[in-house]
Amino acid sequence: MTLHWLMLAAAICTSLAGQILLKSGATTDGGFLAQLLRPQTILGLGFYGGAALLYIVALRRIPMSIALPCTAASYVVAVLIGHFVFGEALGVQKLIAVGVISLGVVMLATA
């Protein structure tokens, strides 16, 4: 695995961590400005910025037509985290969608 693929994997993981932090900061307490100023939200936005920097490094050698669809791998993990951490519903339709996304990511990554 090359450095650029490692950077892509790190970008995906960092973006996912940012998403989890944004979700944990998204409470109904206070208004939108209060949500923006929560530590989780600020950290989440920082993680997104870091993910963008890592993604830029990955794009130096990986074609965008492959790199961007590979980021869909985070959707699979996000569905599982949403279910197990945040108690979101996980039905048959979501499981099928996760399978289709996973298959697409594997097909693109090995193209």
Side-chain angles (χ1 to χ4, degrees):
M1 183 177 277
T2 68
L3 173 66
H4 295 90
W5 280 100
L6 288 172
M7 292 297 106
L8 180 59
I12 292 167
C13 292
T14 304
S15 174
L16 184 60
Q19 185 66 21
I20 293 166
L21 285 163
L22 290 178
K23 174 65 177 173
S24 66
T27 65
T28 57
D29 300 339
F32 181 68
L33 185 58
Q35 179 180 344
L36 283 177
L37 297 175
R38 286 192 183 95
Q40 301 95 318
T41 303
I42 294 168
L43 277 172
L45 292 172
F47 270 78
Y48 267 130
L53 295 175
L54 292 166
Y55 185 69
I56 289 168
V57 173
L59 286 176
R60 295 183 73 192
R61 295 277 190 262
I62 301 171
M64 187 177 71
S65 62
I66 295 173
L68 185 60
C70 285
T71 64
S74 67
Y75 301 162
V76 173
V77 179
V79 167
L80 298 174
I81 290 172
H83 176 70
F84 291 110
V85 176
F86 296 109
E88 298 173 0
L90 182 61
V92 173
Q93 187 173 357
K94 279 188 183 177
L95 290 172
I96 292 170
V98 163
V100 170
I101 291 169
S102 299
L103 179 62
V105 169
V106 169
M107 289 176 69
L108 280 167
T110 59

